[in-house]
Every structure is written in C-alpha cells, then in structure tokens.
Amino acid sequence: MRITVGCDLTVACQQPTPLLLMVQPHTSRRVDLVTADPLVSNPAVPVTEFVDGFGNRCCCLVALAGDTQLSQRALVECSGKPDPVLPHLSAVPVEALPPETYQFLRPSRYCETDRLDQTAWDLFGEIPAGWPQVQAICDSVHTRIHFDMGQARPTKTALEVLEEGQGVCRDFAHLAIAFCRSLNIPARYCTGYVGYTGVPRGPEPIDFSAWFEAYLEGGWHVFDARYNTPRIGRVLIGRGRDAGDVPFLHSFGPHDLTRFEVITQALAAV
C-alpha cells in the first residue's frame, strides 16, 4: 500500500531567523519513497539538508521577516501489515549488547531513569525480561496516563508524567522509555507519521506521533504506549534519546507557529 505523508506549516518571524526542521521520512525509509520529498518554502529561500548522528534527515533555512509557508509531501510504500508482535523474544544481557545501544540505557533530558529505577523494579521486576516485560510497561503506561492534548508542555519529564497522570504521546513514550532503561533494556524515542489507517478515525486531528523502540533479541522493535495496539502505515521521521533530539521545528530566534497541519492519507488500491 502507499501512504501520503507530510505537513503544512506557517512560521511568522519578526526578522530573518534560522530554522531547523525534521519532517521528512527517516533515512531508513528512503528505499520506500515513491517520489522526491523536498521541503518547500514560500517565499522561496535556500534549504540545506543534512543527516544527523541518528540518521535523521534535517533541513536548515533562514526564514525571512514575516510569514514563511513550509510544505512537505512524501509518497511512501508500506507493507500494509501492522507492527509485528513477537512475545517470545528475550532481553539481551547488558554484557552482550552492541556498544552503540549503551547510550539508550542512560538517563536523558526527559527520561530521568535515576529517579525511576526503584519504581520500575517494583512494578515490573518480577515479569520475564524481554517482550513480556516491555509489553507490561506499555500496558501500565497506557492505563495509568490519560491522554489530553491540553496537557502538552515542552519541559515535562517522565517522572512528571507519572506524577501528573496525564499527557500527550511524547509523554507516554518518555515514561515507557525510562522504565525500559531502568530495567536494563535499551529504548530509544521515535517520532513520525501515524494516521488512522486500519482503525476508526478518532476525535483528535492527525499530528506528529511518538512511540519507541526497545532493543531485544534480534534487534530494535516497535512499541507504542499511547495506542498500545499494532498500527498500520507507521512512517518514521526521527530517532533519538528523547524528544529533545528530534524536534520537528527548532527556531534560533523568536517566532510564532500560525499554521500547523499534518497529513497522513492511505491511497485507495488501484
């Protein structure tokens, strides 16, 4: 199946302002791109693309004073199958982990595992290490945390999510990641496009979504504490230690985001 993903943004700046955007499908999905997927600005300004240390595609530009419209579209080939569920997978002992996974065991800006270790072991320490343990974390976070778009704030940490009991998809991911790391399971933050393909349309508008990947037997595997069910048509944009590594827009100066629309649309089979 094919899915159109993209976004339309309008950024208002009082003076020329450098912007960094991360809205294109991740380098790991380039093989699935059916068409080119440039970021287009109006007024037109030069856009420079680079790949960061996590394999994320980033776009740099200098927005002019006034309104700058930014648009991106990608047509992506997808399998049409839901996220795999592999409950037989075991955890990998720390001493056998690939060195590149170690950074995803440590505390990070929004995942303060050093303050959640005891809670994680109290809640999940008796569950077999591996897929069952990670799934139990997702079940718990999904049940404990109430989704509320009005509770989004850029400074909220995993511990604050647990204490407040509410948040948005990034908060679900941060708490689940922190619990995994506390249990010696590498976990990394993911952001991307997840529409309503294969499920009834919900009341919330389509937005950039957050989920996470845990390193178990066989490599990295997708988990989603927000929806807590396998989804079809997930298109990755970025990976990192937490949301601080993958902002869809970072402005190096004052700005107002006056338009924000995310598109995820599965195309009808021909």
Side-chain angles (χ1 to χ4, degrees):
M1 68 183 301
R2 292 181 173 182
I3 297 178
T4 297
V5 297
C7 61
D8 293 314
L9 315 172
T10 300
V11 180
C13 301
Q14 296 181 354
Q15 60 189 24
T17 303
L19 303 178
L20 177 64
L21 291 99
M22 194 181 299
V23 295
Q24 297 162 298
H26 190 264
T27 52
S28 61
R29 298 302 303 264
R30 270 179 167 161
V31 67
D32 300 318
L33 291 177
V34 179
T35 59
D37 61 342
L39 178 71
V40 178
S41 71
N42 182 24
V45 297
V47 177
T48 302
E49 181 178 329
F50 69 92
V51 176
D52 70 11
F54 296 107
N56 306 319
R57 298 168 64 196
C58 307
C59 291
C60 293
L61 59 94
V62 178
L64 304 178
D67 288 349
T68 297
Q69 299 173 358
L70 300 166
S71 180
Q72 188 272 329
R73 293 290 186 278
L75 183 59
V76 185
E77 193 78 49
C78 296
S79 70
K81 298 178 181 179
D83 303 321
V85 177
L86 304 167
H88 63 281
L89 295 184
S90 300
V92 179
V94 171
E95 64 272 19
L97 286 169
E100 62 269 19
T101 66
Y102 288 172
Q103 64 180 315
F104 301 109
L105 286 172
R106 302 185 183 116
S108 60
R109 167 67 179 85
Y110 297 104
C111 302
E112 64 272 63
T113 54
D114 50 336
R115 303 182 68 187
L116 286 163
D117 283 346
Q118 191 60 54
T119 301
W121 283 98
D122 289 345
L123 291 173
F124 311 109
E126 299 300 319
I127 299 170
W131 194 286
Q133 199 173 48
V134 180
Q135 185 57 58
I137 289 171
C138 290
D139 293 343
S140 177
V141 173
H142 182 78
T143 301
R144 288 170 177 265
I145 307 305
H146 172 66
F147 182 85
D148 186 343
M149 294 184 67
Q151 298 302 315
R153 70 174 186 269
T155 60
K156 187 183 290 188
T157 69
L159 179 60
E160 291 171 332
V161 175
L162 183 63
E163 293 174 340
E164 297 173 18
Q166 53 192 358
V168 293
C169 58
R170 65 176 259 161
D171 302 317
F172 284 71
H174 284 152
L175 182 55
I177 288 168
F179 280 150
C180 285
R181 292 177 184 172
S182 291
L183 297 168
N184 299 324
I185 296 174
R188 61 189 183 186
Y189 183 91
C190 299
T191 185
Y193 298 99
V194 180
Y196 290 109
T197 304
V199 299
R201 187 176 183 89
E204 297 95 6
I206 293 174
D207 198 348
F208 293 116
S209 293
W211 61 92
F212 72 101
E213 294 173 344
Y215 193 90
L216 301 172
E217 199 179 4
W220 292 101
H221 303 275
V222 168
F223 291 89
D224 191 332
R226 159 71 175 100
Y227 292 114
N228 202 30
T229 188
R231 298 298 292 265
I232 298 172
R234 195 182 297 272
V235 179
L236 178 70
I237 292 175
R239 294 187 178 112
R241 294 163 297 182
D242 57 32
D245 288 331
V246 289
F248 77 89
L249 171 65
H250 184 87
S251 172
F252 297 89
H255 77 284
D256 291 315
L257 184 63
T258 60
R259 183 187 181 193
F260 174 73
E261 182 178 359
V262 177
I263 298 96
T264 301
Q265 180 65 51
L267 303 186
V270 178

Short mmCIF file of all heavy atoms in Angstrom, two decimals, residues 94-133:
data_model
loop_
_atom_site.label_atom_id
_atom_site.label_comp_id
_atom_site.label_asym_id
_atom_site.label_seq_id
_atom_site.Cartn_x
_atom_site.Cartn_y
_atom_site.Cartn_z
N VAL A 94 23.12 -7.20 29.41
CA VAL A 94 23.86 -5.96 29.19
C VAL A 94 25.24 -6.24 28.60
O VAL A 94 25.70 -5.54 27.68
CB VAL A 94 23.98 -5.16 30.50
CG1 VAL A 94 24.92 -3.97 30.32
CG2 VAL A 94 22.61 -4.68 30.96
N GLU A 95 25.92 -7.26 29.11
CA GLU A 95 27.27 -7.54 28.63
C GLU A 95 27.31 -8.02 27.18
O GLU A 95 28.37 -8.02 26.54
CB GLU A 95 27.96 -8.58 29.53
CG GLU A 95 27.31 -9.95 29.53
CD GLU A 95 26.20 -10.09 30.57
OE1 GLU A 95 25.68 -9.05 31.04
OE2 GLU A 95 25.86 -11.24 30.92
N ALA A 96 26.15 -8.42 26.63
CA ALA A 96 26.09 -8.88 25.25
C ALA A 96 25.51 -7.83 24.30
O ALA A 96 25.40 -8.08 23.10
CB ALA A 96 25.25 -10.16 25.17
N LEU A 97 25.15 -6.66 24.81
CA LEU A 97 24.56 -5.61 23.98
C LEU A 97 25.61 -5.00 23.05
O LEU A 97 26.77 -4.84 23.43
CB LEU A 97 23.98 -4.51 24.86
CG LEU A 97 22.68 -4.81 25.60
CD1 LEU A 97 22.41 -3.72 26.62
CD2 LEU A 97 21.52 -4.94 24.62
N PRO A 98 25.21 -4.61 21.83
CA PRO A 98 26.12 -3.85 20.98
C PRO A 98 26.47 -2.52 21.65
O PRO A 98 25.59 -1.89 22.26
CB PRO A 98 25.31 -3.63 19.69
CG PRO A 98 24.24 -4.66 19.73
CD PRO A 98 23.92 -4.90 21.16
N PRO A 99 27.71 -2.09 21.57
CA PRO A 99 28.10 -0.84 22.25
C PRO A 99 27.26 0.37 21.87
O PRO A 99 27.03 1.25 22.70
CB PRO A 99 29.56 -0.66 21.83
CG PRO A 99 30.04 -2.04 21.52
CD PRO A 99 28.85 -2.76 20.95
N GLU A 100 26.77 0.40 20.63
CA GLU A 100 26.00 1.57 20.19
C GLU A 100 24.65 1.70 20.90
O GLU A 100 23.99 2.74 20.82
CB GLU A 100 25.79 1.55 18.68
CG GLU A 100 25.00 0.37 18.14
CD GLU A 100 25.88 -0.81 17.75
OE1 GLU A 100 27.05 -0.88 18.22
OE2 GLU A 100 25.39 -1.65 16.98
N THR A 101 24.23 0.64 21.61
CA THR A 101 22.95 0.72 22.32
C THR A 101 23.10 1.29 23.73
O THR A 101 22.10 1.62 24.37
CB THR A 101 22.29 -0.68 22.44
OG1 THR A 101 23.11 -1.52 23.28
CG2 THR A 101 22.13 -1.32 21.08
N TYR A 102 24.33 1.41 24.22
CA TYR A 102 24.53 1.83 25.61
C TYR A 102 23.97 3.22 25.89
O TYR A 102 23.49 3.49 27.00
CB TYR A 102 26.02 1.80 25.97
CG TYR A 102 26.61 0.42 26.12
CD1 TYR A 102 27.99 0.25 26.27
CD2 TYR A 102 25.80 -0.72 26.10
CE1 TYR A 102 28.54 -1.02 26.41
CE2 TYR A 102 26.36 -1.98 26.22
CZ TYR A 102 27.72 -2.13 26.38
OH TYR A 102 28.27 -3.39 26.51
N GLN A 103 24.03 4.12 24.90
CA GLN A 103 23.51 5.47 25.13
C GLN A 103 22.01 5.45 25.39
O GLN A 103 21.48 6.39 26.01
CB GLN A 103 23.81 6.36 23.93
CG GLN A 103 23.12 5.94 22.64
CD GLN A 103 23.44 6.87 21.49
OE1 GLN A 103 23.42 8.08 21.64
NE2 GLN A 103 23.76 6.30 20.33
N PHE A 104 21.34 4.37 24.99
CA PHE A 104 19.90 4.27 25.19
C PHE A 104 19.54 3.51 26.47
O PHE A 104 18.39 3.14 26.69
CB PHE A 104 19.24 3.61 23.97
CG PHE A 104 19.48 4.36 22.69
CD1 PHE A 104 20.32 3.85 21.71
CD2 PHE A 104 18.90 5.60 22.48
CE1 PHE A 104 20.55 4.54 20.53
CE2 PHE A 104 19.13 6.31 21.31
CZ PHE A 104 19.96 5.78 20.34
N LEU A 105 20.55 3.29 27.31
CA LEU A 105 20.35 2.78 28.67
C LEU A 105 20.47 3.89 29.71
O LEU A 105 20.07 3.71 30.86
CB LEU A 105 21.38 1.69 29.00
CG LEU A 105 21.20 0.33 28.34
CD1 LEU A 105 22.42 -0.54 28.64
CD2 LEU A 105 19.93 -0.36 28.84
N ARG A 106 21.04 5.02 29.32
CA ARG A 106 21.37 6.08 30.27
C ARG A 106 20.22 7.07 30.43
O ARG A 106 19.37 7.20 29.55
CB ARG A 106 22.63 6.81 29.81
CG ARG A 106 23.86 5.91 29.64
CD ARG A 106 25.08 6.74 29.30
NE ARG A 106 26.25 5.88 29.06
CZ ARG A 106 26.87 5.79 27.91
NH1 ARG A 106 26.44 6.47 26.87
NH2 ARG A 106 27.92 5.00 27.77
N PRO A 107 20.22 7.81 31.53
CA PRO A 107 19.24 8.90 31.67
C PRO A 107 19.43 9.93 30.57
O PRO A 107 20.54 10.13 30.07
CB PRO A 107 19.56 9.50 33.05
CG PRO A 107 20.35 8.46 33.76
CD PRO A 107 21.10 7.71 32.71
N SER A 108 18.36 10.60 30.19
CA SER A 108 18.43 11.69 29.22
C SER A 108 17.53 12.82 29.69
O SER A 108 16.88 12.71 30.74
CB SER A 108 18.05 11.20 27.81
OG SER A 108 16.73 10.69 27.79
N ARG A 109 17.47 13.88 28.94
CA ARG A 109 16.78 15.11 29.36
C ARG A 109 15.36 14.84 29.88
O ARG A 109 14.97 15.37 30.92
CB ARG A 109 16.73 16.08 28.17
CG ARG A 109 15.79 17.28 28.32
CD ARG A 109 16.26 18.23 29.39
NE ARG A 109 15.37 19.39 29.50
CZ ARG A 109 14.25 19.42 30.21
NH1 ARG A 109 13.87 18.34 30.87
NH2 ARG A 109 13.50 20.51 30.27
N TYR A 110 14.60 14.03 29.16
CA TYR A 110 13.19 13.80 29.53
C TYR A 110 12.95 12.42 30.14
O TYR A 110 11.82 12.11 30.51
CB TYR A 110 12.29 13.98 28.31
CG TYR A 110 12.32 15.38 27.75
CD1 TYR A 110 13.02 15.66 26.58
CD2 TYR A 110 11.69 16.43 28.40
CE1 TYR A 110 13.07 16.96 26.07
CE2 TYR A 110 11.73 17.72 27.90
CZ TYR A 110 12.42 17.98 26.73
OH TYR A 110 12.47 19.25 26.24
N CYS A 111 13.97 11.62 30.24
CA CYS A 111 13.82 10.25 30.75
C CYS A 111 14.81 10.05 31.90
O CYS A 111 15.87 9.45 31.72
CB CYS A 111 14.07 9.22 29.64
SG CYS A 111 12.97 9.40 28.21
N GLU A 112 14.45 10.54 33.07
CA GLU A 112 15.36 10.52 34.21
C GLU A 112 15.27 9.18 34.95
O GLU A 112 14.65 9.05 35.99
CB GLU A 112 15.12 11.72 35.14
CG GLU A 112 13.75 11.76 35.80
CD GLU A 112 12.68 12.45 35.02
OE1 GLU A 112 12.36 11.96 33.92
OE2 GLU A 112 12.12 13.45 35.51
N THR A 113 15.91 8.18 34.37
CA THR A 113 15.84 6.83 34.92
C THR A 113 16.38 6.75 36.34
O THR A 113 15.95 5.91 37.13
CB THR A 113 16.62 5.85 34.03
OG1 THR A 113 17.96 6.34 33.86
CG2 THR A 113 15.99 5.72 32.66
N ASP A 114 17.33 7.63 36.66
CA ASP A 114 17.90 7.59 38.00
C ASP A 114 16.87 7.90 39.09
O ASP A 114 17.07 7.57 40.26
CB ASP A 114 19.09 8.56 38.10
CG ASP A 114 18.76 9.95 37.58
OD1 ASP A 114 17.85 10.08 36.75
OD2 ASP A 114 19.42 10.91 38.01
N ARG A 115 15.75 8.49 38.70
CA ARG A 115 14.68 8.80 39.65
C ARG A 115 13.50 7.83 39.54
O ARG A 115 12.54 7.95 40.28
CB ARG A 115 14.21 10.24 39.45
CG ARG A 115 15.32 11.28 39.59
CD ARG A 115 14.80 12.68 39.44
NE ARG A 115 13.93 13.06 40.56
CZ ARG A 115 13.24 14.20 40.60
NH1 ARG A 115 13.33 15.06 39.58
NH2 ARG A 115 12.49 14.49 41.64
N LEU A 116 13.60 6.90 38.61
CA LEU A 116 12.50 5.96 38.38
C LEU A 116 12.92 4.50 38.53
O LEU A 116 12.09 3.60 38.36
CB LEU A 116 11.91 6.18 36.97
CG LEU A 116 11.06 7.44 36.82
CD1 LEU A 116 10.88 7.78 35.35
CD2 LEU A 116 9.70 7.26 37.48
N ASP A 117 14.20 4.25 38.83
CA ASP A 117 14.69 2.88 38.90
C ASP A 117 13.87 2.01 39.87
O ASP A 117 13.42 0.92 39.50
CB ASP A 117 16.16 2.86 39.33
CG ASP A 117 17.11 3.25 38.21
OD1 ASP A 117 16.67 3.27 37.04
OD2 ASP A 117 18.28 3.52 38.49
N GLN A 118 13.70 2.48 41.08
CA GLN A 118 13.02 1.67 42.08
C GLN A 118 11.58 1.41 41.70
O GLN A 118 11.06 0.29 41.86
CB GLN A 118 13.08 2.33 43.46
CG GLN A 118 12.62 1.42 44.59
CD GLN A 118 13.46 0.17 44.70
OE1 GLN A 118 14.68 0.25 44.80
NE2 GLN A 118 12.83 -1.00 44.64
N THR A 119 10.91 2.43 41.17
CA THR A 119 9.52 2.26 40.74
C THR A 119 9.43 1.21 39.63
O THR A 119 8.53 0.35 39.64
CB THR A 119 8.94 3.59 40.23
OG1 THR A 119 9.01 4.56 41.27
CG2 THR A 119 7.50 3.43 39.78
N ALA A 120 10.35 1.26 38.68
CA ALA A 120 10.34 0.30 37.58
C ALA A 120 10.51 -1.13 38.09
O ALA A 120 9.77 -2.04 37.67
CB ALA A 120 11.44 0.63 36.57
N TRP A 121 11.46 -1.33 39.00
CA TRP A 121 11.68 -2.68 39.51
C TRP A 121 10.52 -3.14 40.39
O TRP A 121 10.15 -4.33 40.37
CB TRP A 121 13.00 -2.76 40.26
CG TRP A 121 14.17 -2.81 39.32
CD1 TRP A 121 14.97 -1.78 38.92
CD2 TRP A 121 14.63 -3.96 38.60
NE1 TRP A 121 15.90 -2.21 38.01
CE2 TRP A 121 15.72 -3.54 37.80
CE3 TRP A 121 14.22 -5.29 38.56
CZ2 TRP A 121 16.42 -4.43 36.97
CZ3 TRP A 121 14.93 -6.17 37.74
CH2 TRP A 121 16.01 -5.74 36.95
N ASP A 122 9.91 -2.23 41.13
CA ASP A 122 8.75 -2.59 41.95
C ASP A 122 7.57 -3.03 41.08
O ASP A 122 6.86 -3.98 41.41
CB ASP A 122 8.33 -1.42 42.83
CG ASP A 122 9.31 -1.13 43.95
OD1 ASP A 122 10.16 -2.01 44.24
OD2 ASP A 122 9.23 -0.04 44.54
N LEU A 123 7.37 -2.33 39.97
CA LEU A 123 6.22 -2.61 39.13
C LEU A 123 6.44 -3.79 38.18
O LEU A 123 5.50 -4.57 37.93
CB LEU A 123 5.87 -1.37 38.30
CG LEU A 123 5.31 -0.16 39.05
CD1 LEU A 123 5.18 1.03 38.11
CD2 LEU A 123 3.94 -0.50 39.65
N PHE A 124 7.65 -3.92 37.64
CA PHE A 124 7.85 -4.84 36.53
C PHE A 124 8.99 -5.85 36.75
O PHE A 124 9.27 -6.67 35.89
CB PHE A 124 8.16 -4.06 35.24
CG PHE A 124 7.20 -2.94 34.98
CD1 PHE A 124 7.60 -1.61 35.11
CD2 PHE A 124 5.88 -3.19 34.62
CE1 PHE A 124 6.72 -0.56 34.88
CE2 PHE A 124 4.99 -2.16 34.38
CZ PHE A 124 5.41 -0.84 34.51
N GLY A 125 9.63 -5.79 37.90
CA GLY A 125 10.81 -6.62 38.12
C GLY A 125 10.55 -8.11 38.13
O GLY A 125 11.46 -8.91 37.86
N GLU A 126 9.33 -8.53 38.43
CA GLU A 126 9.01 -9.95 38.50
C GLU A 126 8.54 -10.51 37.17
O GLU A 126 8.29 -11.72 37.05
CB GLU A 126 7.93 -10.20 39.57
CG GLU A 126 8.34 -9.79 40.97
CD GLU A 126 9.57 -10.55 41.45
OE1 GLU A 126 9.65 -11.76 41.18
OE2 GLU A 126 10.44 -9.93 42.08
N ILE A 127 8.39 -9.67 36.16
CA ILE A 127 7.91 -10.12 34.84
C ILE A 127 9.11 -10.59 34.02
O ILE A 127 10.18 -9.98 34.05
CB ILE A 127 7.18 -8.96 34.14
CG1 ILE A 127 5.97 -8.52 34.98
CG2 ILE A 127 6.73 -9.37 32.74
CD1 ILE A 127 5.33 -7.25 34.49
N PRO A 128 8.96 -11.70 33.28
CA PRO A 128 10.09 -12.20 32.48
C PRO A 128 10.69 -11.12 31.59
O PRO A 128 9.96 -10.42 30.86
CB PRO A 128 9.47 -13.33 31.66
CG PRO A 128 8.31 -13.80 32.49
CD PRO A 128 7.78 -12.58 33.17
N ALA A 129 12.01 -10.99 31.65
CA ALA A 129 12.69 -9.96 30.89
C ALA A 129 12.59 -10.24 29.40
O ALA A 129 12.81 -11.37 28.95
CB ALA A 129 14.15 -9.87 31.30
N GLY A 130 12.24 -9.22 28.64
CA GLY A 130 12.06 -9.38 27.21
C GLY A 130 10.75 -8.75 26.78
O GLY A 130 10.26 -7.79 27.39
N TRP A 131 10.17 -9.30 25.72
CA TRP A 131 8.92 -8.74 25.19
C TRP A 131 7.83 -8.67 26.26
O TRP A 131 7.15 -7.64 26.36
CB TRP A 131 8.44 -9.55 23.99
CG TRP A 131 7.37 -8.86 23.20
CD1 TRP A 131 6.05 -8.70 23.55
CD2 TRP A 131 7.53 -8.22 21.94
NE1 TRP A 131 5.38 -8.00 22.58
CE2 TRP A 131 6.26 -7.68 21.57
CE3 TRP A 131 8.61 -8.03 21.08
CZ2 TRP A 131 6.05 -6.99 20.37
CZ3 TRP A 131 8.40 -7.35 19.89
CH2 TRP A 131 7.13 -6.84 19.55
N PRO A 132 7.60 -9.71 27.07
CA PRO A 132 6.54 -9.61 28.08
C PRO A 132 6.73 -8.44 29.03
O PRO A 132 5.76 -7.78 29.42
CB PRO A 132 6.63 -10.95 28.82
CG PRO A 132 7.22 -11.89 27.83
CD PRO A 132 8.21 -11.07 27.06
N GLN A 133 7.96 -8.14 29.40
CA GLN A 133 8.23 -7.04 30.32
C GLN A 133 7.96 -5.69 29.65
O GLN A 133 7.33 -4.81 30.25
CB GLN A 133 9.68 -7.12 30.80
CG GLN A 133 9.97 -6.33 32.07
CD GLN A 133 11.37 -6.60 32.56
OE1 GLN A 133 12.34 -6.56 31.79
NE2 GLN A 133 11.51 -6.89 33.85
#
